[in-house]
Amino acid sequence: MGVGHRKVVSVLDEMRIRDLGVIDDAVVELAPGFTAVTGETGAGKTMVVTSLGLLLGGRADPGLVRRGAERAVVEGRLALPEGSPVAARAQEAGAELDEGELLISRTVSAEGRSRAHVGGRSVPVGLLAELGEDLIAVHGQTDQQRLLRPSRQRGALDRYAGAAVAEPLGRYREVYRELREVAATLEELTTRARERAQEADLLRFGLEEIAAAEPVAGEDAELAAEAERLGHADALSMAATMAHSALAGDPAEPDSVDAGTLLAQARRALESVRGHDERLGALAERVSEVGYLLADVSADLAGYAEDLDADPVRLAAVEDRRAVLAHLVRKYGGPDNSLAEVIAWAEAGSVRLLELDGDDERIDELGARETELRAELAQLAGEVSAARHAAAGRFAEAVSAELAELAMPHARVTFALSRVDDPAGIEFEDRTVSYGSHGVDEVEVLLAPHPGAVPRPIAKGASGGELSRVMLAVEVVFAGADPVPTYLFDEVDAGVGGKAAVEIGRRLAKLAQSAQVVVVTHLPQVAAFADRHLVVEKTSDGTVTRSGVKVLNDEERVRELSRMLAGLEDSELGRAHAEELLAAARAPRGE
């Protein structure tokens, strides 16, 4: 089937899957336009979706690695147009492009280790997710279930609204974060008033005790040295006196021989003969130097003995001071038990006391700031809500229009925006309402499937087939509001059959006029509209090999559609019906 009339360039050209689930080694060849992937139950169609999820940075599950294999590998080849932001981001990460093509891969080991490569460069897995946001939108049955949650529906509305909601919501969230911080601080200050008062009293007592002692850094070490000296003053004086007498002589004993006298004799003996031998002259010089040093030491010993004073009063004062400092060290010296820690505690305690003493004033300031922030938050919430209301009408009309093309011509989708009263909330439009990081709006999608029906939440008012079509309509609307090059739909046609299935196929083909669309489906009515039809086949050993994912030609396609219709590939009735389906799908496009 020709696709030359399409202007879109395929972004995802090819995927190779190895040792993933039931797949041994398979190549998935994609193309521009609409590609359908079919196959019998259990053949491995879901692994195509799983593989793409891994390439987009999805969670790596070691349980997906084929039994007996060391690792699973998924590789993708992307064709990127010139100026693509994806190409620019990949090149920033060090990737190399080959004539506009980018190779990406993901490896998951049986032990759970995961690796990612982009353009031949090892990269964090998060980069794959970042690139995937601009490349591919994946929509499957799990996405349908998520979209049933009101929080997801609110997110969908905000996504559709774009900057009209994103800009005020961004400012709202900044104010919301500040309000939470202010409220938390205020709560802590007011509920811990008694604890803070007790802490302040203890700090004042300690600071007064330390201030009264006036400790000086290093003082304890100096006092310890002085106490040691004063406590042994007599012994020190006696030792210095005896040493001086031995070196310089004792006037009370003029006949005693001292070191100075002996050294002088040695010097004179050497001086008398030093002229006869240079070596002996050098020794004489050294003896003279010893004499000078001995004279200096003798003088210092005499001075030390004279200065040393055994003062019991001073010793008592030193010990008293040391006792005061030791008391401070025991109480405030910290793990090091040092005077330096005492001084540091006093400095930190002074700062903390100023904080505690200023808490009452701070409580008043925070209370006033909280009031300001609540008013500002309410104003921004109004802007966000107004933008949501404006977008909700457009979004609902667009989805309803899509449903008309999906065999639900009378269905109407609406958005219900409401608020919940909460005494602890913010003042908004004469009410006190609940609020959060999303604003004040509760958003819910309502469906009236036919005229006269009361709109009900889609989780309650839509059948399985209707839900699939509503979700497809939402995704198609997103495609127009926030387009990406490639869309993957995983059995979004569940619960649908007959005419509705034909309309789904026709709508997907229309979407494929402007994007690459890949659909995993079990419906022949949908597959018939595809430009390229891939079938996943099991081999006899229960695995899928390289030839297990193949592109069907026209004859093979008729056989596959016949199988999907009647369960028999060569049923004449099935083949006739398949050919009729293909003809009906080709007719609108003049093929």
Side-chain angles (χ1 to χ4, degrees):
M1 188 179 295
V3 292
H5 62 288
R6 301 183 187 279
K7 298 180 181 179
V8 63
V9 177
S10 173
V11 169
L12 181 60
D13 281 345
E14 182 181 276
M15 276 199 308
R16 184 177 182 184
I17 309 166
R18 284 180 288 170
D19 295 324
L20 185 71
V22 297
I23 296 180
D24 176 18
D25 191 344
V27 175
V28 181
E29 298 179 6
L30 302 172
F34 184 179
T35 298
V37 181
T38 65
E40 293 186 8
T41 301
K45 300 188 300 297
T46 302
M47 286 299 104
V48 174
V49 180
T50 303
S51 299
L52 190 54
L54 287 173
L55 279 183
L56 299 179
R59 187 177 68 87
D61 181 1
L64 295 174
V65 179
R66 193 170 64 88
R67 185 174 180 181
E70 294 182 0
R71 65 184 63 83
V73 180
V74 182
E75 299 170 323
R77 180 160 52 85
L78 305 172
L80 302 178
E82 186 176 353
S84 166
V86 173
R89 180 65 186 92
Q91 288 173 325
E92 285 178 10
E96 294 183 1
L97 274 69
D98 183 11
E99 296 182 355
E101 289 192 342
L102 178 66
L103 300 180
I104 61 177
S105 69
R106 181 82 179 277
T107 302
V108 181
S109 72
E111 293 79 25
R113 293 189 298 275
S114 175
R115 295 212 181 354
H117 290 81
V118 174
R121 183 71 174 265
S122 179
V123 298
V125 173
L127 179 62
L128 294 182
E130 184 181 340
L131 298 178
E133 289 180 358
D134 293 325
L135 285 173
I136 301 173
V138 179
H139 189 77
Q141 295 183 34
T142 55
D143 299 280
Q144 290 184 6
Q145 295 303 314
R146 284 198 295 267
L147 203 54
L148 294 179
R149 305 172 192 166
S151 62
R152 292 283 182 172
Q153 294 170 10
R154 180 175 52 232
L157 176 59
D158 290 351
R159 176 183 164 192
Y160 176 80
V165 166
E167 291 180 1
L169 185 59
R171 298 196 304 274
Y172 172 94
R173 283 175 172 159
E174 290 178 5
V175 175
Y176 176 77
R177 282 193 293 270
E178 184 181 353
L179 176 60
R180 283 176 59 87
E181 292 171 0
V182 168
T185 304
L186 195 57
E187 176 72 14
E188 181 183 6
L189 292 177
T190 52
T191 56
R192 294 185 55 206
R194 178 177 297 180
E195 294 177 19
R196 291 186 295 106
Q198 291 175 345
E199 183 183 358
D201 288 343
L202 289 174
L203 284 172
R204 286 192 189 91
F205 178 82
L207 290 172
E208 289 172 0
E209 191 174 19
I210 294 172
E214 296 182 344
V216 177
E219 180 185 5
D220 51 344
E222 294 175 1
L223 289 173
E226 185 177 0
E228 186 73 15
R229 186 170 62 253
L230 290 172
H232 299 83
D234 291 340
L236 293 172
S237 178
M238 182 179 297
T241 300
M242 290 178 63
H244 178 268
S245 297
L247 295 177
D250 185 353
E253 299 180 15
D255 296 332
S256 63
V257 178
D258 57 78
T261 301
L262 296 174
L263 195 61
Q265 292 175 359
R267 186 175 65 252
R268 286 194 296 271
L270 294 174
E271 286 291 341
S272 64
V273 293
R274 65 180 296 176
H276 302 300
D277 187 345
E278 291 183 358
R279 184 179 176 189
L280 194 63
L283 291 173
E285 290 291 337
R286 292 171 64 185
V287 170
S288 296
E289 293 173 1
V290 171
Y292 298 140
L293 179 60
L294 188 144
D296 289 342
V297 171
S298 297
D300 290 342
L301 285 171
Y304 177 85
E306 185 178 346
D307 293 340
L308 193 62
D309 184 14
D311 186 349
V313 176
R314 175 57 186 166
L315 178 59
V318 168
E319 293 295 353
D320 289 344
R321 179 61 176 172
R322 292 184 69 201
V324 170
L325 296 181
H327 173 73
L328 295 179
V329 168
R330 283 194 300 273
K331 292 183 69 174
Y332 312 109
D336 294 340
N337 285 322
S338 66
L339 188 62
E341 289 283 349
V342 173
I343 295 172
W345 185 93
E347 293 173 351
S350 298
V351 174
R352 177 59 178 159
L353 187 59
L354 287 174
E355 293 177 359
L356 293 173
D357 288 342
D359 277 351
D360 291 338
E361 181 179 347
R362 194 175 175 212
I363 287 174
D364 293 339
E365 293 175 353
L366 289 173
R369 181 57 180 158
E370 183 183 32
T371 301
E372 293 175 1
L373 290 172
R374 282 178 168 273
E376 187 176 354
L377 200 68
Q379 179 182 347
L380 290 170
E383 294 181 23
V384 172
S385 187
R388 282 179 177 150
H389 273 90
R394 299 193 307 273
F395 195 12
E397 285 297 321
V399 173
S400 298
E402 289 297 332
L403 288 176
E405 295 195 34
L406 295 172
M408 295 178 66
H410 303 297
R412 289 292 176 268
V413 168
T414 56
F415 279 85
L417 275 71
S418 60
R419 286 127 201 163
V420 177
D421 290 329
D422 182 356
I426 59 173
E427 296 296 324
F428 186 81
E429 295 181 354
D430 300 325
R431 292 170 58 190
T432 304
V433 299
S434 177
Y435 67 100
S437 61
H438 55 78
V440 296
D441 298 312
E442 299 295 328
V443 178
E444 196 162 30
V445 179
L446 306 179
L447 173 67
H450 53 80
V454 177
R456 298 182 63 194
I458 56 174
K460 301 176 181 178
S463 66
E466 289 171 340
L467 182 59
S468 293
R469 281 177 281 176
V470 170
M471 296 307 164
L472 177 57
V474 168
E475 195 65 35
V476 170
V477 171
F478 278 150
D482 184 20
V484 293
T486 300
Y487 294 87
L488 173 66
F489 295 96
D490 179 20
E491 297 196 358
V492 293
D493 46 21
V496 178
K499 182 181 178 181
V502 173
E503 296 304 328
I504 287 179
R506 182 175 286 115
R507 190 61 191 89
L508 289 170
K510 184 178 178 180
L511 177 60
Q513 296 289 336
S514 59
Q516 183 185 31
V517 176
V518 181
V519 179
V520 178
T521 181
H522 67 285
L523 290 180
Q525 297 95 326
V526 173
F529 281 87
D531 301 297
R532 170 170 289 191
H533 192 152
L534 305 180
V535 65
V536 183
E537 295 178 332
K538 274 188 179 180
T539 56
S540 59
D541 63 355
T543 65
V544 178
T545 63
R546 182 185 299 273
S547 60
V549 179
K550 62 182 294 188
V551 180
L552 301 182
N553 59 30
D554 286 347
E555 175 60 26
E556 292 169 331
R557 193 168 180 190
V558 170
R559 294 188 65 191
E560 172 65 7
L561 292 178
S562 177
R563 181 197 65 76
M564 297 172 71
L565 284 162
L568 299 172
E569 295 177 351
D570 296 320
S571 163
E572 291 186 10
L573 184 61
R575 288 179 62 86
H577 193 179
E579 290 172 350
E580 184 181 358
L581 272 178
L582 286 171
R586 292 171 176 173
R589 290 178 282 185
E591 298 180 13

